[in-house]
Amino acid sequence: MDNINILIVEDEENIARVVKLELEYEGYKTDIIHDGFEAWQRIQSSPDKWDLILLDVMLPGLSGMEILRRIRKEKRTTPVIMLTARDAIVDKVTGLDQGADDYVTKPFEIEELLARIRVLIRRQESAIVSDESKNENRLTLSDLSVEIESRDVKRGEAHIELTPREFDLLVYLLENINRVLSREQILEHVWGFDYFGDTNVVDVYIRYLRQKVDKPFDSPFIQTVRGVGYVIKDTSK
């Protein structure tokens, strides 16, 4: 937990205070901001200060969804967990589609929140190690190219905007060209082995990825292997 800094953006002071106390008891360093505009200004001025952001959806000044959208628009990959009082599936999907890494519905058990934080911190640390160990910074297949370091994706001359989760999913598929991956394998690698959810989230994100990487182009890459999972095939061989 050493030197892990977490930003808590939550306008309900009692919730923010309790979360801060629990996180600091676990060894994390924390900052609290109660206003959306102030949060965005601080994130802009100190983009690398925090290793994870807990972001409430309903905030004064600027909504959590808008802050998240701006963070991802600038291609920042800091893990974000949305804190929301809403439990409608459309709100959760909207947050995930904007690039949230996870969400927790209030009221929540602090142990569940801590577990989700640990998953994302481990995944972030693993990603850093993985990137440092790569000899190649680019993955390619036909007219598709993925720059690992800059997280840029192109098909031909067309730039493709992906959320952080969509990008990680695409990279995992490309790292395993011609290998059929089960939903469980994808879930473990992309979401973390102790992800709290079912495998349906994989199908949702495969659909998102297809809409961006396959659907606008003549030759689709992502294939479904019924009853097993998904594969990207290199048909040029």
Side-chain angles (χ1 to χ4, degrees), residues 151-167:
R151 301 177 78 86
D152 287 329
V153 179
K154 292 176 65 178
R155 276 201 74 169
E157 297 302 315
H159 288 272
I160 300 172
E161 292 292 333
L162 299 181
T163 67
R165 189 81 73 180
E166 291 165 354
F167 181 87

Side-chain angles (χ1 to χ4, degrees), residues 81-139:
I81 297 178
M82 303 300 292
L83 305 177
T84 174
R86 304 175 181 178
D87 58 3
I89 190 65
V90 65
D91 295 313
K92 297 176 182 178
V93 170
T94 299
L96 292 170
D97 201 27
Q98 290 286 351
D101 295 274
D102 206 345
Y103 60 84
V104 176
T105 302
K106 296 185 285 187
F108 52 82
E109 295 292 336
I110 192 66
E111 288 302 325
E112 178 185 354
L113 178 61
L114 291 172
R116 292 174 184 267
I117 289 171
R118 288 192 292 268
V119 168
L120 291 178
I121 293 297
R122 282 199 299 270
R123 195 184 75 193
Q124 190 79 347
E125 291 173 344
S126 296
I128 292 171
V129 171
S130 177
D131 285 346
E132 289 175 347
S133 66
K134 288 182 185 293
N135 293 322
E136 298 292 335
N137 284 321
R138 176 184 294 177
L139 295 170

